[in-house]
Each structure stands twice: as structure tokens, then as C-alpha cells.
Amino acid sequence: ACRSWSLASFFEGLSTKTDFAETLDGISSFAVARSGEEAATALVDPKVLAVFLDRGEMGRELHLKWEKNLHSIPDFEATGSLVGDSLTWSGLPPEVESLEELRQETFQEVISLASDFLAAAGQTTPLRLRFACISYVQCSRLHLDDVPLRLVCVLAGAGTDVLPESKADRCALQRLEALPLDSQGSMSSPDWNQHIVASESVEQAVTEVPSGWAVLLKGSAWEHGRVQGVLHRSPSQVSKRVLLQVDFADYVDPDTPDTE
């Protein structure tokens, strides 16, 4: 069933951390951090598969501003590179270029997120940055990313759904992945997901990342595959969204469509 509340009204009720963070209490595969250094400490624990980054007042303000301008922004895919504090983009539409103040605030947040990502990962390798507005469902199946670590921050629209490890049936996932590719392709996303979450409805099981927050997602390549990545999906309903994404450049094929 579709969620009846709006993210804007949900975020208005948050104190920037406590309410949402309290919903994560007792979920051993999740942690909350306010910086890359705090996230790095949490990620050392092999049981922690996702770290939710509280972006504070800046995250909340960016969320509200992007929600306000969402109707005037076309779909776009922009990729960025960061050298020191110098950020360059390709693919930005004129509608975003014209929002000078919001664009600059967003770019400062990108630089901050990239710094937190590197601190969390304990690396200094080149990054691939993604800034996009999309109005389609990227991947509504629960899946693992074939990367060591990925950061996603949704500034407007529905957030990424992350599955607590206690709700995941890994054996069921292995059985699904062992099916012939045509059998996998013919299965609907709801059926696929329900095989993995057998104890309750998928909507009840997943945790949605609030807009303005960021999430660090361990992938299947974390510590050379010695730790299982976190299962997650894009929102299952079609909606317009603005998102930022940070990846290690070596793990992203520029010719392959982006997923979250």
C-alpha cells in the first residue's frame, strides 16, 4: 500500500535527529552518525551494514528548498568530479543553473558528503559524483550494490528503502539469484521482495531514509566480500526525486545506467 503521509510533514516533526534516530534503536545492522569519522567507527563493526548520516539543519533546509522548486526542475543526470574543493559538473540543465543560491548550497553539501564518504571509508581514491532529478523507479527490487560503499542522499521526494538484516532471508536471496536469468527477469518486484522478506510485508519491514539525511550502504565488495552488503531498494512508487550519490570511481561503469 502507498504511504499516506508526506515526507515534508514527516520532516517537520523531526528535531533533525532524535525522532528518526529513535526508530533505529535496537536495529543492530543500522547505526546513526553525524560525521564521516563517527561513521567510520560504526562501519568497523561487521554487523553494521548501513549508517544513517544526520545532516542537521543544512540537510533539512536543502530538503525544503528542493521540495519547493521540484515542480520546475526537469529530469536530468549530472556527473561531477572533485579536486580539492573544486567541483565541476557535466549535464546540469539551465533550470538548475539558474537557481544560483540553491545550486551553490547544494554543491557545498556535495563537497561535505564526499569528505564524509572518504573519512568513513578510510580512503583517498577518486570519486564519482552523481546529481540527478528522476521521475522513474530505478530498482524496486531488494538488492546489494557491487561496490565497497555507496552514499545516497535524497534531497526531495521519497527516500531509499533499507532492509534491517533481522528481516532478511539470505537463503531465499541465494535461491532467487540461482534461478535462470529469464526466470529472474519474469518475476515481479513485489514477488521478488516478498521471497526475501517472508515474515511480514515489505513495506512494514523496510526503513525509509528521510529526505535531507544521507545513508552509507555497505556493498558486496566491502572488505573484499568478507562482509555481506545491505539489502535496499528504490521507492516502489513512481515519484519525482532529487538525489545525490557518491561512489568510488573505479567501481562505476560510466556507460551503465545509474542505480541507487
Side-chain angles (χ1 to χ4, degrees):
C2 297
R3 301 177 176 112
S4 60
W5 45 268
S6 70
L7 279 171
S9 62
F10 172 70
F11 219 121
E12 290 288 359
L14 291 177
S15 62
T16 72
K17 178 178 180 179
T18 55
D19 290 354
F20 175 64
E22 286 172 1
T23 69
L24 305 181
D25 285 348
I27 302 177
S28 61
S29 58
F30 293 169
V32 176
R34 299 182 71 93
S35 68
E37 290 75 14
E38 285 186 12
T41 300
L43 289 168
V44 169
D45 186 344
K47 296 191 299 295
V48 173
L49 302 182
V51 176
F52 296 79
L53 279 176
D54 175 14
R55 304 308 296 168
E57 190 63 24
M58 176 56 73
R60 181 177 183 277
E61 289 180 1
L62 282 175
H63 159 66
L64 295 174
K65 290 178 180 179
W66 278 106
E67 286 283 0
K68 181 180 178 181
N69 288 278
L70 193 57
H71 67 281
S72 64
I73 305 298
D75 283 15
F76 69 88
E77 283 281 353
T79 56
S81 61
L82 181 62
V83 179
D85 287 337
S86 178
L87 182 62
T88 57
W89 292 96
S90 61
L92 288 176
E95 291 86 350
V96 172
E97 295 280 12
S98 66
L99 298 171
E100 184 172 354
E101 182 178 350
L102 179 55
R103 176 168 50 84
Q104 291 302 324
E105 290 174 349
T106 303
F107 290 174
Q108 286 302 310
E109 179 70 347
V110 171
I111 293 171
S112 178
L113 288 169
S115 176
D116 283 343
F117 180 85
L118 290 172
Q123 299 187 32
T124 57
T125 54
L127 301 178
R128 182 189 188 272
L129 308 174
R130 180 191 182 201
F131 179 26
C133 180
I134 59 175
S135 54
Y136 61 91
V137 177
Q138 290 190 109
C139 185
S140 58
R141 288 187 175 191
L142 290 166
H143 65 280
L144 309 172
D145 292 326
D146 189 20
V147 298
L149 193 66
R150 170 167 289 165
L151 182 148
V152 179
C153 178
V154 176
L155 297 175
T160 306
D161 287 332
V162 189
L163 184 68
E165 186 60 21
S166 61
K167 309 287 187 181
D169 186 339
R170 294 280 179 168
C171 292
L173 176 62
Q174 291 176 359
R175 289 192 294 270
L176 289 171
E177 292 178 334
L179 292 172
L181 291 179
D182 57 347
S183 298
Q184 293 186 41
S186 64
M187 186 179 297
S188 69
S189 290
D191 286 346
W192 176 280
N193 294 337
Q194 202 59 68
H195 276 83
I196 297 171
V197 186
S199 59
E200 59 189 299
S201 76
V202 176
E203 297 296 329
Q204 291 174 322
V206 295
T207 296
E208 181 180 351
V209 185
S211 281
W213 283 60
V215 64
L216 289 158
L217 305 167
K218 279 183 181 176
S220 59
W222 179 265
E223 293 188 351
H224 307 288
R226 291 193 294 269
V227 175
Q228 297 180 116
V230 66
L231 285 160
H232 61 284
R233 68 174 187 179
S234 305
S236 58
Q237 303 297 322
V238 176
S239 64
K240 198 169 186 179
R241 310 163 68 219
V242 175
L243 61 89
L244 303 170
Q245 186 169 311
V246 183
D247 284 293
F248 293 115
D250 290 346
Y251 282 85
V252 179
D253 182 351
D255 296 324
T256 301
D258 283 292
T259 60
E260 121 191 28

